[in-house]
Amino acid sequence: MGSGDKKVIKRRQITLDGAYAFTDYRAQGQTIEYLWVDIGTPLRGSLTPFNAYVTLSRARGRANVRLVRDFKDSLFTKIPCELLEKEDERLIGMSKKNKREWTKQKQTR
């Protein structure tokens, strides 16, 4: 190359939007205008339907939510926690027992 040769420089400009990330716990109680959500399977730990619900319910509407990647359908179709299921069964049993007791007391009056 001689001293009179011209060099061509190409550049590509991309637009940047200000954004920040936070966890579902941090998002609780907030309303967020536009939401980009990652509810895919995490590399470590697990994601529960509760996490996904809190995250997805923060946007102003579903038209303002974008999913970053696919997620497993089982996230919303499996039982969130066996302990919660057992607690639900216990509470249903207590409700039936209370109803029987209430009915007995009403009949004895």
Side-chain angles (χ1 to χ4, degrees), residues 26-86:
R26 175 70 173 91
Q28 277 185 313
Q30 296 186 40
T31 302
I32 302 166
E33 187 67 34
Y34 297 100
L35 193 61
W36 286 63
V37 180
D38 183 6
I39 57 172
T41 305
L43 296 175
R44 292 184 304 196
S46 62
L47 190 65
T48 69
F50 300 118
N51 301 117
Y53 169 77
V54 168
T55 303
L56 293 171
S57 66
R58 300 301 89 206
R60 287 204 183 275
R62 72 180 191 195
N64 295 351
V65 175
R66 298 292 181 264
L67 297 176
V68 174
R69 60 184 170 142
D70 288 336
F71 59 91
K72 292 183 178 179
D73 291 342
S74 63
L75 177 61
F76 296 106
T77 58
K78 68 179 180 183
I79 296 168
C81 174
E82 287 182 31
L83 294 174
L84 290 177
E85 185 179 31
K86 288 179 182 178

Side-chain angles (χ1 to χ4, degrees), residues 2-18:
S3 62
D5 292 342
K6 291 185 178 182
K7 294 182 181 179
V8 177
I9 298 174
K10 291 183 180 182
R11 74 179 184 131
R12 182 181 303 176
Q13 185 171 347
I14 58 172
T15 59
L16 297 176
D17 289 325

